[in-house]
Amino acid sequence: MIRKLAAAVAGVGVAMLTIQVVEMLGHLVYPPPADIEFGDPEQVREFMSTLPVGSLLFVGAAWAAGTFFGTLAGALISGSRPLPYAVVVGGIVLAGAATMLLIIPHPWWFTAAAPVSIVGAAILAVYLAPGLLPPSRSAE
């Protein structure tokens, strides 16, 4: 039980780290203006309206990659079925994404595509993880 709980926590940690790394890469490719004040909602709205599509794709890719690798990490650490980790990791990433989508205005297509990509990444990890897990001991 402790191992499964630790695996879930580690999976969330891997997801957050992956999201940070991919978003940092996005900031290297598409740096935000130095003079923007993110505490000013009007400046943020203006900034978001001029944002290149590639910049948003980095964010969507970060959320999907975080969900995927976090789910796999949870399943690999626990050595058990990946579905519970997909639900935990995917749910936390989805909650964070929903919060960001509500706080910061995004284009309609991104608001629609982001949750789909997060759920899709969790489902993909569930289907790929069994091939990565060691054989079950219950078969012995």
Side-chain angles (χ1 to χ4, degrees), residues 19-121:
I19 291 168
Q20 282 185 325
V21 168
V22 176
E23 286 186 357
M24 283 176 25
L25 290 172
H27 289 302
L28 289 174
V29 176
Y30 298 100
D35 61 341
I36 189 167
E37 191 167 319
F38 285 100
D40 180 3
E42 192 54 42
Q43 280 190 21
V44 172
R45 266 194 271 298
E46 176 67 28
F47 172 65
M48 289 301 290
S49 69
T50 62
L51 208 58
V53 171
S55 179
L56 289 168
L57 293 177
F58 265 101
V59 174
W63 294 348
T67 301
F68 179 79
F69 289 116
T71 298
L72 288 181
L76 289 171
I77 291 167
S78 73
S80 65
R81 298 176 297 119
L83 185 59
Y85 306 100
V87 171
V88 169
V89 173
I92 288 174
V93 173
L94 197 55
T99 302
M100 293 307 296
L101 292 170
L102 290 171
I103 292 174
I104 300 172
H106 288 75
W108 68 268
W109 63 266
F110 185 81
T111 303
V116 172
S117 69
I118 293 167
V119 171

